[in-house]
Amino acid sequence: MAQRRGNLWLALTGLGLLLYVVAEVAALIWVAGEIGWWTLLILLGSSLIGIFLLQREWKKAWGALSESLGTGQLPSGQLADATLILIGGTLLVLPGLLSDIAGALLLLPFTRPFVRSAVSWWATRTLQRNGMAPVVIKGETVQQPDTIIPGISPAKTDDETTVVEGTIIEPGDPRT
């Protein structure tokens, strides 16, 4: 069953790539028929703009990522932005009008949050559908050096024991 599902996804991916190439060629032929050789200038210009935007936005994303890691925070939004910037820059550098539009949506700072939200929504739905919803553990870290809980091997740092108290909330619990 898993082999058939894998083969189906491979076939659908191949079909999707073939449809994308056909759509890209059709768009280029249509635009070239409408404006002529200016199409080449558009493709060259979009590649140059893509290289410029990729460098500029990558520096911003890398700085924000480094700053959040330096302060000890989780870089969730910055990591997603960096990924979208790399994908968008690659799409803009590749020749093609449709890839340029998609790359611009990923690279421009005012459209990227919408794309990031859509990707996050899609990933959450996919995980929930496959039964892999995340478990949320709410609680706080309390320093209690003399407390040892039986059956739990405490993490030690500088002769102190860290005890984490919390409540496990199962998916679908009304407290979430």
Side-chain angles (χ1 to χ4, degrees):
M1 180 72 175
Q3 172 109 18
R4 291 178 68 192
R5 182 175 282 166
N7 288 340
L8 177 64
W9 278 111
L10 183 63
L12 288 174
T13 302
L15 181 63
L17 284 174
L18 180 65
L19 289 174
Y20 165 73
V21 169
V22 168
E24 194 73 72
V25 169
L28 281 172
I29 290 172
W30 179 75
V31 170
E34 293 293 320
I35 63 173
W37 64 274
W38 288 97
T39 306
L40 293 176
L41 281 175
I42 290 172
L43 290 175
L44 181 63
S46 67
S47 292
L48 293 175
I49 290 171
I51 291 170
F52 170 74
L53 282 175
L54 177 61
Q55 288 177 345
R56 190 186 86 184
E57 293 301 316
W58 179 251
K59 286 179 186 176
K60 283 185 197 176
W62 186 255
L65 188 61
S66 298
E67 183 180 322
S68 68
L69 288 175
T71 60
Q73 297 174 347
L74 289 176
S76 59
Q78 291 88 0
L79 197 56
D81 272 351
T83 304
L84 291 176
I85 287 168
L86 283 176
I87 294 170
T90 303
L91 288 173
L92 258 178
V93 171
L94 290 174
L97 298 173
L98 300 178
S99 65
D100 288 347
I101 293 169
L105 287 174
L106 296 176
L107 266 181
L108 295 173
F110 53 87
T111 58
R112 194 177 327 121
F114 298 113
V115 175
R116 185 177 58 230
S117 296
V119 169
S120 175
W121 176 83
W122 174 80
T124 302
R125 295 275 306 202
T126 302
L127 287 174
Q128 288 174 345
R129 195 172 341 148
N130 292 330
M132 296 185 286
V135 176
V136 177
I137 300 176
K138 294 181 180 179
E140 61 184 61
T141 303
V142 180
Q143 296 292 335
Q144 295 179 346
D146 296 335
T147 305
I148 296 179
I149 300 173
I152 296 179
S153 142
K156 297 199 180 230
T157 56
D158 300 326
D159 295 328
E160 289 185 14
T161 304
T162 302
V163 178
V164 178
E165 296 179 19
T167 304
I168 296 177
I169 300 174
E170 296 294 328
D173 193 324
R175 293 180 286 178
T176 58

